[in-house]
Amino acid sequence: MAIRTDKQIQSRSFIALLIIFGGIILLLAAMILSIIYGAADIDLPTIWQSLTQFDPSLTAHQIIRNLRIPRGLAAALVGASLAVSGAIMQGMTRNALASPSIMGVTAGASFMIAVAMAVSSQVTTISLAIWAFAGAGLGAGIVFGVGTISKSGLTPVKLALAGTAVTSMLSALSSGIAIHFNIAKDMSFWYAGGVASVQWVHVKLLAPIVIIGLILALLLSKSITVLNLGEDVARGLGQRTVLTKTVATIVVLLLTGAAVSVAGTVGFIGLVIPHITRFLVGVKYQWIIPAAAVLGALLLVLADTASRMVNPPFETPVGTMTALVGVPFFLYLARREGRGM
């Protein structure tokens, strides 16, 4: 057993570095594709010219600078945020089914955004982010509160079921608020999820929050690796588990709240990417977190680009594209973990 445990803890450093740096190169290529393809296709020379010799009188340059570049950057930042949030939640709870979309975090953020829009007709980008942070905390708090009521303990599937129930409740409340206050059209964007309407102001809000969140996540990575071995083991090694969980929860709320305030409810990235990352780089969170950030960013940029190519010139919601990958994966995990109910 000791040999097996050692193998699980060992970091596949070379593979992790290859995935991180290779993923960054693929991410840059994917962002170039996201700039090229859309309602109006743009060639590479025009892209280069818009970056080096910007001409505001040219429509193509305006599209590249003010629409496609911020859209690609936002997709990368949102994808990285959701993937890292999912990795932290799975490591912190030792629950293979944990993710922001399943644990009620994104639904809570969307619910509070609906409340904000109902309360005030003129909501700023910053205030939306604050409401989203509060909603993310509300959703997560309700899910874990409901889950702990169970007499037989908080199993992964029971936590997922609690998350699904709370998500459904908060989504229904959001729909009710949207209909009653006549903001359904405004809320439809948050339900579908996407970065189609992102502008530079959103990127400027999102980028510092995501960077701070990712730095905190990297600083926590060693503690999460130890915590993932079990709370008793972590305490035995001298870790302050309550402090680690508190800071990790704050990081998850920061990253998820910022992502939802900009892109709405984009599901399943926080579920799928951490599992793929662990399979590739091992169980050491010093590698899982940066690799998950790169792969999450890559997945959402590709999904956003694909959403424009499925039914041109119309756009398919990017949440639909991620769900096509995420739903089968979730069902597979639920079936595998269902033995522990």
Side-chain angles (χ1 to χ4, degrees):
M1 288 295 293
I3 296 175
R4 186 178 176 184
T5 303
D6 290 341
K7 287 183 178 180
Q8 289 176 344
I9 297 175
Q10 282 178 355
S11 171
R12 289 173 257 186
S13 302
F14 176 75
I15 297 175
L17 288 171
L18 187 65
I19 289 170
I20 292 169
F21 288 106
I24 290 172
I25 294 170
L26 290 175
L27 177 60
L28 292 174
M31 292 189 69
I32 292 172
L33 288 177
S34 75
I35 296 173
I36 292 173
Y37 293 106
D41 290 347
I42 299 171
D43 55 27
L44 283 172
T46 304
I47 295 173
W48 179 253
Q49 190 179 33
S50 72
L51 295 174
T52 56
Q53 299 175 343
F54 178 68
D55 185 354
S57 65
L58 295 177
T59 303
H61 286 199
Q62 291 282 4
I63 291 172
I64 293 167
R65 279 287 191 96
N66 298 323
L67 296 176
R68 302 247 175 117
I69 291 178
R71 180 172 181 169
L73 289 173
L77 290 169
V78 169
S81 297
L82 295 175
V84 171
S85 294
I88 292 173
M89 291 180 76
Q90 290 173 17
M92 184 173 61
T93 63
R94 303 182 70 198
N95 185 347
L97 298 174
S99 78
S101 59
I102 295 171
M103 295 293 105
V105 180
T106 54
S110 295
F111 168 70
M112 291 303 288
I113 286 173
V115 172
M117 288 184 173
V119 170
S120 175
S121 58
Q122 295 181 342
V123 187
T124 65
T125 304
I126 295 175
S127 62
L128 270 183
I130 294 171
W131 282 92
F133 296 146
L138 174 68
I142 295 174
V143 169
F144 282 96
V146 171
T148 52
I149 296 174
S150 174
K151 294 180 181 179
S152 57
L154 195 61
T155 65
V157 171
K158 285 182 179 177
L159 191 58
L161 289 173
T164 303
V166 172
T167 296
S168 299
M169 180 192 72
L170 292 173
S171 297
L173 290 174
S174 300
S175 299
I177 291 171
I179 294 170
H180 181 75
F181 290 94
N182 198 26
I183 55 171
K185 187 175 180 180
D186 296 327
M187 285 302 300
S188 62
F189 163 76
W190 305 102
Y191 298 145
V195 289
S197 61
V198 167
Q199 299 175 357
W200 279 112
V201 63
H202 300 101
V203 176
K204 289 176 182 178
L205 169 69
L206 185 62
I209 296 173
V210 172
I211 290 170
I212 291 170
L214 292 179
I215 291 172
L216 289 173
L218 287 170
L219 293 174
L220 279 173
S221 59
K222 187 175 180 180
S223 298
I224 295 173
T225 300
V226 176
L227 188 61
N228 194 44
L229 299 174
E231 285 203 43
D232 292 337
V233 175
R235 289 196 194 97
L237 293 173
Q239 185 182 102
R240 291 181 288 180
T241 56
V242 174
L243 178 62
T244 300
K245 285 187 173 184
T246 301
V247 177
T249 301
I250 292 171
V251 172
V252 168
L253 298 182
L254 270 177
L255 292 174
T256 307
V260 173
S261 70
V262 170
T265 54
V266 179
F268 296 105
I269 289 179
L271 175 70
V272 175
I273 292 298
H275 283 279
I276 294 174
T277 306
R278 267 192 299 274
F279 175 76
L280 293 172
V281 306
V283 296
K284 205 168 184 179
Y285 276 78
Q286 290 94 317
W287 294 117
I288 289 175
I289 286 175
V294 173
L295 294 178
L298 177 61
L299 175 60
L300 192 55
V301 171
L302 290 174
D304 181 53
T305 305
S307 71
R308 290 175 252 167
M309 301 171 67
V310 170
N311 187 29
F314 305 103
E315 292 196 17
T316 303
V318 73
T320 304
M321 306 303 295
T322 57
L324 289 174
V325 178
V327 170
F329 196 84
F330 172 71
L331 294 175
Y332 161 73
L333 288 175
R335 182 175 180 274
R336 190 183 72 180
E337 297 293 326
R339 299 165 188 166
M341 285 186 72

